[in-house]
């Protein structure tokens, strides 16, 4: 079955550590996205990528970095510069560029700072 | 940028009743109007969408209506069931704009 896979489901980070969240899709989608969701809140865009080797900052990119070396993969690194990283992180993909195609979301990674 | 508001923020209905959630947006260039359903601990799932050349779309118990003049669109769920309990998000967007903006969400509870 085609889909989008995020791993791990739960992740714990110590202060000062960088951690990387994985996102893989086999839908042959061009565009991929990372969103952050805080409890009881909506989704806020961190980064997005329209094609391989290209990505754009969203509204809350500070303290995060991404890469898009393969069409299928869009990993997100939460760096030590992100002061409040505890949140639910969602990866999504869409068929093509342009927001008028629906997004397919992964099941999320819950990151907690310990 | 797009300003998106959803109302109400929480909605509780009795099983079998109807539920309506409204999404108001600010960008008149928006031409794509989806609704997503998010169950606890999962990612959102697209449940219905509409484009600006259509005023209403229906899929079994759910429907979306669009008023472009007033810049709002609504999700209608009829004959609600307990499994409809979830958080619903709207995310209006426009062509060649890759960063959809999501509303803050509406938590729907359907009581048996």
């Amino acid at each position: 079955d085609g889909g989008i896979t995020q791993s791990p489901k739960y992740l714990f980070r110590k202060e000062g550590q960088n951690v990387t969240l994985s996102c893989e899709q086999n839908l042959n989608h061009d565009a991929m996205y990372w969103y952050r969701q805080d409890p009881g809140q909506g989704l806020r865009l961190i980064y997005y990528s329209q094609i391989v080797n290209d990505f754009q900052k969203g509204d809350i990119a500070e303290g995060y970095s991404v890469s898009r070396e393969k069409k299928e993969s869009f990993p997100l690194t939460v760096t030590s510069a992100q002061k409040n990283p505890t949140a639910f992180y969602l990866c999504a993909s869409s068929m093509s560029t342009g927001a008028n195609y629906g997004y397919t979301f992964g099941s999320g990674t819950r990151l907690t700072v310990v | 940028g797009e300003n998106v508001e959803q109302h109400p923020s929480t909605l509780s209905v009795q099983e079998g009743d109807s539920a309506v959630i409204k999404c108001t947006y600010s960008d008149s260039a928006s031409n794509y109007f989806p609704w997503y359903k998010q169950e606890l601990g999962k990612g959102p799932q697209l449940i219905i969408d509409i484009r600006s050349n259509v005023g209403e779309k229906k899929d079994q118990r759910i429907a979306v209506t669009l008023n472009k003049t007033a810049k709002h669109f609504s999700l209608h769920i009829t004959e609600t069931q307990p499994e409809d309990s979830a958080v619903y998000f709207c995310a209006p967007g426009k062509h060649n704009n890759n960063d959809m903006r999501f509303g803050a969400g509406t938590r729907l509870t359907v009581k048996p």
Side-chain angles (χ1 to χ4, degrees):
Chain A
D1 287 338
I4 184 166
T5 303
Q6 289 187 243
S7 62
K9 192 170 178 66
Y10 298 96
L11 187 57
F12 298 91
R13 192 195 94 165
K14 294 181 180 179
E15 295 282 350
Q17 254 186 351
N18 291 355
V19 290
T20 297
L21 283 59
S22 171
C23 179
E24 304 277 333
Q25 54 100 358
N26 60 3
L27 299 165
N28 200 31
H29 283 175
D30 291 312
M32 297 187 74
Y33 314 82
W34 275 105
Y35 286 87
R36 169 180 171 142
Q37 186 175 34
D38 292 285
Q41 304 295 314
L43 283 69
R44 292 185 291 167
L45 182 66
I46 305 173
Y47 268 99
Y48 65 96
S49 168
Q50 301 178 40
I51 56 173
V52 174
N53 292 325
D54 183 64
F55 46 83
Q56 309 295 328
K57 292 182 179 180
D59 296 327
I60 55 166
E62 186 175 350
Y64 300 98
S65 66
V66 292
S67 63
R68 186 88 186 275
E69 297 177 1
K70 299 187 299 182
K71 186 175 182 179
E72 303 80 19
S73 179
F74 191 41
L76 174 74
T77 297
V78 184
T79 74
S80 56
Q82 171 50 241
K83 298 307 178 189
N84 184 23
T86 295
F88 190 48
Y89 290 87
L90 288 158
C91 180
S93 67
S94 65
M95 185 168 60
S96 182
T97 57
N100 53 3
Y101 294 95
Y103 287 13
T104 300
F105 281 88
S107 55
T109 292
R110 189 166 300 279
L111 174 63
T112 304
V113 174
V114 295
Chain B
E2 177 86 273
N3 184 31
V4 181
E5 292 186 359
Q6 275 183 244
H7 294 281
S9 56
T10 61
L11 179 59
S12 182
V13 300
Q14 208 65 38
E15 183 177 359
D17 288 350
S18 295
V20 181
I21 303 169
K22 184 177 180 179
C23 182
T24 303
Y25 60 96
S26 61
D27 191 343
S28 56
S30 293
N31 59 6
Y32 176 64
F33 307 97
W35 284 97
Y36 290 83
K37 175 184 180 182
Q38 185 177 28
E39 296 176 346
L40 193 63
K42 297 183 179 180
Q45 180 183 11
L46 177 68
I47 56 171
I48 196 166
D49 58 9
I50 196 170
R51 287 175 171 77
S52 58
N53 57 342
V54 177
E56 181 175 358
K57 182 177 179 180
K58 194 172 182 181
D59 182 3
Q60 299 182 339
R61 293 187 300 107
I62 60 172
V64 55
T65 58
L66 171 64
N67 185 329
K68 279 217 78 177
T69 303
K71 289 187 281 187
H72 65 75
F73 61 111
S74 297
L75 175 68
H76 304 256
I77 306 174
T78 58
E79 301 172 31
T80 53
Q81 300 167 4
E83 51 265 38
D84 294 328
S85 296
V87 179
Y88 292 82
F89 293 97
C90 64
K94 50 184 182 283
H95 186 61
N96 286 335
N97 186 333
N98 292 281
D99 51 345
M100 287 197 299
R101 293 294 185 271
F102 284 78
T106 296
R107 181 173 299 279
L108 172 65
T109 302
V110 180
K111 294 179 285 187

